[in-house]
Amino acid sequence: MKRNRIAAGALALAMGLSAVAPSFAAEAKTTDAKEIKEAKKDLSSSELFQEQYKELLERTNKERNDYVAAKTAYDKADADLKAAKETLAKEYKAYEELINPIAARVDAYNDAVKRATEEYNLYAERKADGKIEKIKVPTFTKNDEGKFEVKFEEKEILVPGEVYDEAKSGYESEFEVAKKRLENAKKDLEDIKGKIASAADQLQRVRAAETARDVAQTNFDKAEAKLAEQKAANGKYIWENSLAEVKAAAEGYNVTIQATDKGIVVVKKDDKKEISAEQLAKLKKSIEKANETLKAVDLLKQYAPNTAKLNTAKLDALVAEQKATIAKAEAIIKGADKKVALISTAFAAEESKEDSKEEVTSEDVDALIKELDDNTDAINKEMENLDKQVKDEDKKEDKKDEDKKDEDKKEDKKDEDKKEDKKEDKKVEKTTVVEKSANKAAGSNAKTGIAGVAGVAGVLAAASVAYAASKKNN
């Protein structure tokens, strides 16, 4: 009995069925959502969709895999063809550079040999009778189809005769010059023949590059045809049409369909919290604080010029960032009674609205509140930092004034005879003290002083009042 059970189980497995739950294989074939749900009550919406549209998903994945394989082969064939054409162009150019000067050099060489031979025979006791040879000079042209053709033109070439060391009496110097010219002509001939041999070698490289280009072209044509087979009648790729079917089917489910490197993926939609009235109230409060702080920055620069003269680049950057954040927050407040869309800070000038927008969530608002508050704190700290820098500078100047007083007193004791100068010094000293005390009486340090305001805390308080007043006026 035990052996019979084992055999039955093995047979079931071999047939692709489950020995433990034989009904499962039949369930996988059904496309009825109700039957699937009853059979598998614990399925999520994503799993239910994948069960019901299993065949469509499998077909779409296969079509996409076929497309990806065809597109990959096409891209490779395209890259190989371009590389083969570039290589061929380089070999063509190298060949042209070798052969183009040859024909002209042969003609110039023949003229030089003829003149040199005549001069030599004129001044030598024995004539240097040369001979005529024929060589094939390559030429390089394009045919009507745009392909390069190599042709060989047969040319006659003068070969210098034997040179002897016997000059006519009284013409020794002329003889040496003519002899040297003939010897140089022989060297030129060797160089020309060397260039022709090099051109022949280069021509072999051209032919090899042409063969490689032809093979690459054939492979490209095949790959292009294979990719074209993936196109549907509507001009789209077959898998794209199937994907549209999948997405249309998914509209009734809480899922999204994504085409990834791993295939068509069914993803459950995230449940997004709605924006609450409490959140909007918090956002408004953060906007007000932010605007008060920006007003404080304006007051600081307006009534504390010495502070404004300091390096405020960091403060200005923080202010610019905060203004952009306020703009986003105000857009949310303005559209709170609608379906709000949060546009990126850069406003995506080059992008379409569809690409640059995304629906605002409760989490987005919380993040924006935090961003506003963090920026406000950062701006306040930077203003306090600037205020501290001015106060420190103030103390240094006070110290300088005190030191100056001490020096003046010492000078007064040493030079009692200069009473008029002493009186003038006291006058200047008195004036300085009066100016400083006037600033301090105004309720601030001598540098940042805003009348009746003590430091940044006072500036913030004044900004709050000013911002409230501006809101009433508006």
Side-chain angles (χ1 to χ4, degrees), residues 286 289-290 293 314-315 318 322 369-385 456 460:
S286 292
K289 283 184 182 177
T293 306
K314 183 178 178 181
L315 182 63
L318 289 169
Q322 185 71 313
I369 291 170
K370 186 177 184 304
E371 186 178 352
L372 283 167
D373 293 344
D374 288 349
N375 286 346
T376 296
D377 290 342
I379 292 171
N380 286 336
K381 285 179 182 177
E382 185 58 22
M383 284 197 294
E384 289 171 0
N385 178 50
V456 172
L460 289 170

Side-chain angles (χ1 to χ4, degrees), residues 28-31 49-64 238-251 253 257 263-266:
K29 294 179 181 178
T30 183
T31 57
F49 178 81
Q50 291 179 74
E51 283 287 343
Q52 187 177 3
Y53 293 95
K54 184 177 181 180
E55 289 184 7
L56 177 59
L57 286 167
E58 286 177 350
R59 188 191 81 201
T60 306
N61 269 314
K62 183 183 181 305
E63 290 169 350
R64 187 172 185 277
I238 296 169
W239 79 271
E240 291 177 327
N241 289 334
S242 296
L243 180 64
E245 285 184 54
V246 176
K247 288 184 175 180
E251 288 181 1
Y253 295 77
I257 307 301
I264 309 303
V265 179
V266 181

Side-chain angles (χ1 to χ4, degrees), residues 299-300 302-307 387 390-391 394 438-456 459:
L299 289 174
L300 192 69
Q302 183 179 354
Y303 295 107
N306 288 327
T307 301
D387 187 51
V390 173
K391 285 179 178 178
D394 231 14
N439 278 335
K440 288 177 181 177
S444 73
N445 63 66
K447 299 295 178 204
T448 59
I450 302 172
V453 179
V456 172
V459 172

Side-chain angles (χ1 to χ4, degrees), residues 79-92 209 213:
D80 290 346
L81 179 58
K82 286 177 181 175
K85 286 180 177 179
E86 287 176 5
T87 299
L88 181 57
K90 289 178 183 177
E91 299 298 355
Y92 276 147
R213 187 272 318 274

